[in-house]
Amino acid sequence: SPAAGGDAGRALLQSDPATDPATDPTDTALDLSDPTNPFIAPLFGDHLLDFKVYVHDLPDEYHAQLAKDNRRCLTDQYGTEIRFHRNLMSSRVRTTDPAEADFFFVPIYGECFLFRETQRSSGGAALDTTARWYKSALKILSHERGPWWNRTQGRDHVFIFPGARGPHIFKDWKRTIKKSIFLTPEGDRSLSEQFNTWKDIVIPGLEPDNDFTSGALRDKAPPGATRDIFAYFRGTIQNKGGASYSRGIRIVMEQALRRD
């Protein structure tokens, strides 16, 4: 509920002088990895999940069928749009009653759709097709799925844009869903209006290989072994956009690491 959400927000901001290391000059180290630490304990716990999310029942062509037809979408870095949806369907915060929902999740796999259309046609044509596809989904939300979209103009609706372009994969986003909540990996506000700190949330890209996230790779190294690989990067470095791509930081990092 909004009230509970406010309480949770205040819990994240308030601290107890008796246990707050920031107010204790004798405590110079704060272990943020320990969920029992009294300073960060409010960040964890089921009491912060006192809200409900309704998942809109859009036709499979907007989600499940895309994932079925394009298996690549399940494991590439944009797979968060699928992972979030699937996890939410079995989450305790999900409600099947839209009247009690605090937020409304829109299950639409935009990056997966755009990838498919890009294979079929040029980039510009694919973006045009994607825009029409998004608008067809919004028409369903505003005309066929009750009053929930129209009553707030989508302010309580959540979209996932798991790529660096964020909502720009939908050319008409500013005219149609600008007030909605975006989950996206790019929080750079200088990139235009695609990220708003008042409502949007930065999420990580998907890493489907459990070895990279479970710590299993550390166990495979012999004790005292010297690592000969400093870092692993998955992504484009030399893009046709040159130094303008990723603001040139990838090229600079590659050059610096090669020197070292």
Side-chain angles (χ1 to χ4, degrees), residues 19-249:
T19 59
D20 183 352
T23 63
D24 183 359
T26 65
D27 191 340
T28 58
L30 174 60
D31 183 6
L32 293 178
S33 67
D34 180 9
T36 65
N37 188 302
F39 179 60
I40 61 170
L43 293 171
F44 299 86
D46 290 346
H47 65 288
L48 295 181
L49 299 179
D50 187 19
F51 61 89
K52 293 296 182 181
V53 180
Y54 177 79
V55 180
H56 274 295
D57 183 23
L58 288 176
D60 284 356
E61 66 184 273
Y62 295 100
H63 46 84
Q65 192 61 47
L66 279 169
K68 180 179 179 180
D69 295 343
N70 303 274
R71 305 301 294 177
R72 173 184 183 274
C73 297
L74 296 170
T75 56
D76 70 12
Q77 63 175 321
Y78 307 135
T80 44
E81 60 187 0
I82 300 174
R83 187 71 62 89
F84 264 82
H85 179 205
R86 291 184 173 181
N87 288 351
L88 193 53
M89 293 299 289
S90 59
S91 171
R92 57 168 292 199
V93 303
R94 182 192 173 211
T95 178
T96 56
D97 180 5
E100 70 172 13
D102 298 291
F103 303 100
F104 294 79
F105 182 81
V106 183
I108 183 167
Y109 301 166
E111 285 286 356
C112 188
F113 181 86
L114 179 58
F115 171 76
R116 187 190 72 183
E117 293 305 308
T118 301
Q119 307 309 302
R120 296 177 174 179
S121 59
S122 65
L127 286 171
D128 289 338
T129 302
T130 301
R132 290 192 294 270
W133 180 72
Y134 264 99
K135 286 190 281 191
S136 68
L138 293 176
K139 184 177 180 180
I140 294 174
L141 294 182
S142 60
H143 291 79
E144 303 175 19
R145 293 294 187 268
W148 315 112
W149 174 271
N150 296 327
R151 68 176 183 171
T152 65
Q153 295 182 306
R155 284 183 175 87
D156 50 6
H157 281 59
V158 181
F159 291 82
I160 291 188
F161 292 103
R165 289 177 290 185
H168 289 291
I169 64 170
F170 174 26
K171 293 168 60 174
D172 297 313
W173 73 270
K174 290 185 181 181
R175 291 197 296 269
T176 55
I177 62 172
K178 184 177 179 179
K179 298 175 182 178
S180 297
I181 301 165
F182 301 156
L183 307 185
T184 176
E186 297 291 341
D188 187 346
R189 290 179 293 169
S190 67
L191 296 176
S192 80
E193 304 171 82
Q194 72 178 51
F195 187 84
N196 185 328
T197 54
W198 288 97
K199 63 180 183 66
D200 302 330
I201 300 172
V202 172
I203 61 172
L206 177 67
E207 176 46 72
D209 190 336
N210 189 56
D211 280 349
F212 285 105
T213 56
S214 67
L217 292 177
R218 290 194 296 269
D219 297 334
K220 294 179 180 179
T226 300
R227 297 174 183 267
D228 57 1
I229 299 176
F230 175 71
Y232 169 74
F233 178 80
R234 179 187 179 189
T236 301
I237 296 177
Q238 300 295 337
N239 182 270
K240 62 182 180 181
S244 64
Y245 179 73
S246 191
R247 305 199 173 201
I249 189 63

